[in-house]
Amino acid sequence: MIDYNQFPSPCYVMEEDLLRQNLNLIRSVADRAGVEIILAFKAFALWRTFPIFREYIHATTASSPYEARLALEEFGSKAHTYSPAYTEADFPEILRCSSHITFNSLSQYQRFWPQVQAHGHISCGLRINPEYSEVETELYNPCAPGTRFGVMAEQLPAQLPEGIEGFHCHCHCESSSYELERSLAHIEGKFSPWFSQIRWLNLGGGHLMTRKDYDVEHLIGLLRGLKARYPHLQIILEPGSAFAWQTGALAAEVVDIVENRSIRTAILNVSFTCHMPDCLEMPYQPAVRGARTNADGPYIYRLGGNSCLSGDYIGYWSFDHELQVGERILLEDMMHYTTVKTTMFNGIPHPAIGLWTKDGQAQVLRQFSYEDYRDRMD
């Protein structure tokens, strides 16, 4: 049982045992399916936990020079890098820190291929757009009409440009293996004529294989079938959320309770817009430990953030008691797409970051100060 009193408030608290459970499952899928599964930094990049990750996986994926440098210097291996657009200023660092570079367009590839060729020892690919995705929230749909992501089949020449060794496709978000099955039908239907010319196929992220209801055996069967059809292809998956799914909570506390027209809002010492942005962007209502979502009961509250954004709240939860100022609130599953997306809007203090180790020890990995806020503006 975690003793949250050993951590500052507020604090993101990751549980090492839960992380290792996810890593074990992911490594098992990779081994049984004969594929490579790598960590996408866009969802999780707490580098102090990388020694644990390195026991299970060997590579990561980056989408910027900073992420690529993090891969090389903190994870210890060069990144599989993709960006919607590289710049002349950034590309030398991308070259230094990458083992694979995926280009979003043929024009970007043509612009930077001479530099890759001169550098050597980097495998290049193109992002492809299968024009199919079941992601319902348009903000997260990479195949929406008019998308800026990827090359459509009709835009590819019959013979791929010199140096293109792989295809990268990303069209999922917290998706099931059955969505992958339907996506694969579109990917193969449109792009298999070029598969003989490449040696790797990256199926991107969004494969939420650590979710309790995910059909892992179906996923393994799909990947084995894909490899049987194209035995020369190395298959790569790069989920982000799956690694950190359900591995820890954001521990906050009630600082005030306000009421307006019979709606009670418990204001916390954290902000949804600053510290849990996906709750507003996705949008979804997170689980709160000890409370029921949208349930009837005598003690119903919205939860409000401590920024001055009017929409910085989520609701409603039913508690079995009346909330009190100073009471701890645990917002579940807050380790992915949180710390990588947080802001210091309004000068709101950033939560600390902690790890509850497998030995039952509280480690505070990072605390933030006024200087962190000030120095971002200098």
Side-chain angles (χ1 to χ4, degrees):
M1 181 70 69
I2 296 179
D3 182 1
Y4 287 96
N5 291 321
Q6 294 189 42
F7 294 97
S9 177
C11 187
Y12 299 99
V13 181
M14 169 166 267
E15 299 184 46
E16 182 179 348
D17 282 340
L18 298 179
L19 174 62
R20 288 185 180 275
Q21 287 179 27
N22 285 353
L23 288 165
N24 271 312
L25 186 148
I26 289 168
R27 181 172 63 182
S28 173
V29 170
D31 291 345
R32 292 174 60 198
V35 303
E36 183 175 15
I37 304 179
I38 62 181
L39 170 66
F41 284 161
K42 70 175 185 178
F44 183 84
L46 294 182
W47 59 271
R48 292 281 296 275
T49 65
F50 288 174
I52 300 171
F53 278 80
R54 286 196 296 267
E55 296 177 31
Y56 300 86
I57 64 171
H58 307 294
T60 59
T61 181
S63 293
S64 65
Y66 287 174
E67 285 189 344
R69 182 176 173 182
L70 191 72
L72 179 61
E73 296 184 3
E74 302 298 341
F75 199 88
S77 61
K78 292 188 174 184
H80 293 235
T81 303
Y82 160 79
S83 174
Y86 302 107
T87 67
E88 292 287 351
D90 290 342
F91 203 69
E93 185 75 340
I94 296 293
L95 287 172
R96 183 180 76 89
C97 300
S98 303
S99 62
H100 297 65
I101 298 178
T102 295
F103 294 89
N104 189 58
S105 66
L106 287 165
S107 59
Q108 278 264 300
Y109 177 72
Q110 291 159 0
R111 179 179 176 185
F112 290 105
W113 166 239
Q115 293 185 46
V116 177
Q117 200 171 24
H119 185 277
H121 309 294
I122 292 176
S123 183
C124 289
L126 286 175
R127 177 157 178 170
I128 56 173
N129 177 8
E131 302 176 74
Y132 177 84
S133 175
E134 298 182 27
V135 177
E136 294 181 354
T137 302
E138 188 159 334
L139 182 66
Y140 291 84
N141 182 357
C143 296
T147 181
R148 70 191 194 281
F149 292 137
V151 180
M152 295 183 292
E154 66 195 50
Q155 297 172 314
L156 284 176
Q159 182 64 42
L160 293 175
E162 176 191 4
I164 293 297
E165 298 183 340
F167 283 164
H168 176 284
C169 181
H170 178 78
C171 53
H172 296 99
C173 178
E174 297 186 358
S175 302
S176 71
S177 61
Y178 297 92
E179 289 167 76
L180 173 60
E181 183 174 33
R182 294 186 287 271
S183 297
L184 278 175
H186 288 262
I187 295 168
E188 290 185 66
K190 289 180 178 290
F191 293 97
S192 60
W194 290 276
F195 282 4
S196 63
Q197 300 179 44
I198 61 174
R199 61 184 185 89
W200 52 265
L201 175 64
N202 186 326
L203 295 174
H207 313 282
L208 195 49
M209 61 190 75
T210 51
R211 187 173 58 198
K212 288 182 180 179
D213 63 350
Y214 192 97
D215 193 336
V216 172
E217 296 303 319
H218 183 247
L219 171 65
I220 292 170
L222 286 178
L223 297 174
R224 284 177 173 172
L226 183 62
K227 285 188 66 67
R229 292 191 295 279
Y230 311 101
H232 70 290
L233 287 182
Q234 178 193 16
I235 307 300
I236 304 164
L237 282 72
E238 48 177 45
S241 294
F243 283 94
W245 186 257
Q246 297 288 352
T247 57
L250 175 54
E253 64 182 58
V254 178
V255 294
D256 195 16
I257 296 172
V258 298
E259 186 166 341
N260 187 315
R261 296 191 180 276
S262 300
I263 295 175
R264 288 187 293 180
T265 301
I267 301 178
L268 309 178
N269 63 344
V270 293
S271 162
F272 290 97
T273 189
C274 295
H275 309 137
M276 298 165 278
D278 273 6
C279 293
L280 303 182
E281 292 176 3
M282 189 63 175
Y284 72 93
Q285 185 166 329
V288 173
R289 195 170 302 182
R292 293 177 294 156
T293 303
N294 292 326
D296 294 329
Y299 306 109
I300 297 176
Y301 298 86
R302 292 193 314 194
L303 297 184
N306 59 344
S307 81
C308 64
L309 175 71
S310 298
D312 190 3
Y313 66 87
I314 299 285
Y316 294 88
W317 285 270
S318 174
F319 292 82
D320 62 4
H321 63 282
E322 192 164 354
L323 296 183
Q324 303 295 320
V325 171
E327 182 172 342
R328 282 288 175 105
I329 298 291
L330 298 177
L331 296 125
E332 303 281 17
D333 195 25
M334 284 296 160
M335 298 311 301
H336 56 92
Y337 284 107
T338 48
T339 53
V340 292
K341 296 180 74 171
T342 56
T343 72
M344 292 185 175
F345 167 66
N346 250 184
I348 302 295
H350 194 292
I353 301 171
L355 177 70
W356 186 259
T357 72
K358 61 182 180 179
D359 302 319
Q361 300 296 315
Q363 290 185 3
V364 178
L365 304 181
R366 182 75 155 90
Q367 287 187 278
F368 298 84
S369 66
Y370 161 73
E371 287 74 21
D372 293 302
Y373 168 72
R374 181 198 65 192
D375 292 348
R376 292 175 70 251
M377 306 298 156
D378 186 3

